Amino acid sequence: MVKVGVVGYGTIGQRLADGVALQKDMELIGIADVAPTLPVLALKEKGMPYNFYLALSENKEKLEKFGIPISGNLEDLIKKCDIILDATNAGIGAKNKKLYEKYGKKAIFQGGEKTEIADVFFHGYANFEKGLGKQFLKLTSCNTTGLIRTVDALDREIGIDNVIITIVRRVADPGDYHRGLTNALKVDKVPNHQAVDLMLVMPHVKATGTLVHTPVTHGHFITVAAKPKKTVTKEAVVEIFKKHPRIRVVKIEDGFLGNASIFKFGRDLGHPRGDLYEVFTWEETITVFDDRIIYSIHIPQESVTIPETIDGIRAAMKMQLDRLEAVSLTNKYLNIKNINY
């Protein structure tokens, strides 16, 4: 049983803790954070199902004020674990890495950290083997994670030469205020980091693309123009996507009108927080135009990286050596059912 700790109990950390707790071959030792944040207070109201470790000792009185039991400090958690999932704010993980090295522990960092923090820039489906036995892995960002799922699925079946991507990026997570109130679009320079990151994980595929920040919170929207290495039909592309457990093919005509429809669908399913682990593609957006495969995908940014992070545990700890065996177990325990409409 692999012992796992989660450091940083925010948007991603909450979901990582829940995801690890569902794995039958892993044990969640506890979570660490610095203060009685709203997620920590919610954890208290739920009966403290996870042991809490305080990463900032001067805040002890603040935790005690709310009656939150403290199981120890950050180093206490690290010493008890085989591997740490670091979901802290960008830059904090690099500081924490020194502690992980001090105790000889493995760690997986989220997409906000710089790529050089880790031995491998990791994706469960695209380069699982490169993560085997490594001490430090870094996940791709939410957009890049979902993008690579689709490009990798096509590449393994028909081969992909290059991709051109356009990203309409949500400006903040639901509940975040740090972006302010805005009524504007903001354009990034070409190429966007998702295209660059895709090439780091899949160096045999050329990629470029644009990114536009938009003042919404429920998911990113990506359009991909992929150049295949052999002729393919729309029907074949649809079937490739339908076979992938972490890609769901839906239809506009069935009521999946956009990001809000998909977010509501997750809540209607009764998923905690309305989370969805899959990326969604609309069948009506999939087409073959001249020498390009065109399709659009929805990225549920709060939860999409959770399966690949758990894949990373399996790779780093060498729990499974085979890529498909590893991702299948992650999918099974997360109850990813491979349902399409």
Side-chain angles (χ1 to χ4, degrees), residues 120-134:
V120 175
F121 198 20
F122 182 82
H123 190 281
Y125 276 85
N127 68 348
F128 178 85
E129 294 81 4
K130 289 187 176 180
L132 288 172
K134 293 296 191 295

Side-chain angles (χ1 to χ4, degrees), residues 37-189:
T37 60
L38 291 183
V40 174
L41 292 179
L43 191 69
K44 169 66 165 57
E45 289 203 20
K46 290 190 288 187
M48 291 302 292
Y50 309 140
N51 293 326
F52 180 86
Y53 292 78
L54 182 58
L56 198 60
S57 58
E58 53 262 44
N59 283 342
K60 184 177 180 180
E61 288 186 5
K62 294 181 181 179
L63 273 293
E64 291 175 341
K65 171 185 173 183
F66 291 99
I68 297 170
I70 300 172
S71 298
N73 60 29
L74 177 57
E75 293 192 44
D76 292 330
L77 175 62
I78 294 170
K79 286 186 283 188
K80 293 177 181 178
C81 296
D82 300 311
I83 188 167
I84 296 291
L85 307 183
D86 192 298
T88 57
N89 293 335
I92 303 300
K95 297 178 181 178
N96 291 340
K97 181 181 177 181
K98 296 176 182 178
L99 286 175
Y100 309 148
E101 290 175 322
K102 174 183 176 181
Y103 291 106
K105 303 296 183 176
K106 301 193 177 194
I108 301 177
F109 302 92
Q110 291 300 303
E113 293 295 334
K114 293 182 179 180
T115 304
E116 53 265 29
I117 196 173
D119 304 313
V120 175
F121 198 20
F122 182 82
H123 190 281
Y125 276 85
N127 68 348
F128 178 85
E129 294 81 4
K130 289 187 176 180
L132 288 172
K134 293 296 191 295
Q135 184 175 5
F136 298 119
L137 305 180
K138 189 184 94 72
L139 261 289
T140 52
S141 69
C142 51
N143 266 320
T144 312
T145 297
L147 173 67
I148 288 178
R149 283 183 196 171
T150 62
V151 175
D152 176 70
L154 293 172
D155 185 52
R156 289 179 185 275
E157 292 280 346
I158 58 175
I160 295 296
D161 181 65
N162 63 69
V163 294
I164 302 171
I165 59 177
T166 301
I167 300 176
V168 180
R169 184 187 187 278
R170 69 93 182 93
V171 72
D173 288 330
D176 282 353
Y177 288 90
H178 68 281
R179 301 284 186 179
L181 304 176
T182 181
N183 183 29
L185 300 177
K186 180 177 178 290
V187 180
D188 280 4
K189 63 181 181 180

Side-chain angles (χ1 to χ4, degrees), residues 4 33 55 73 123 173 187 212 283 293 296 302:
V4 184
D33 213 310
N73 60 29
H123 190 281
D173 288 330
V187 180
V212 179
E283 188 167 332
I293 300 168
S296 296
E302 297 172 293

Side-chain angles (χ1 to χ4, degrees), residues 153-154 157-158 230-243 286 288 293:
L154 293 172
E157 292 280 346
I158 58 175
K230 61 182 180 182
T231 303
V232 66
T233 64
K234 168 181 176 171
E235 292 72 23
V237 173
V238 170
E239 289 308 308
I240 289 171
F241 286 159
K242 283 186 174 182
K243 287 193 300 183
I286 300 171
V288 176
I293 300 168

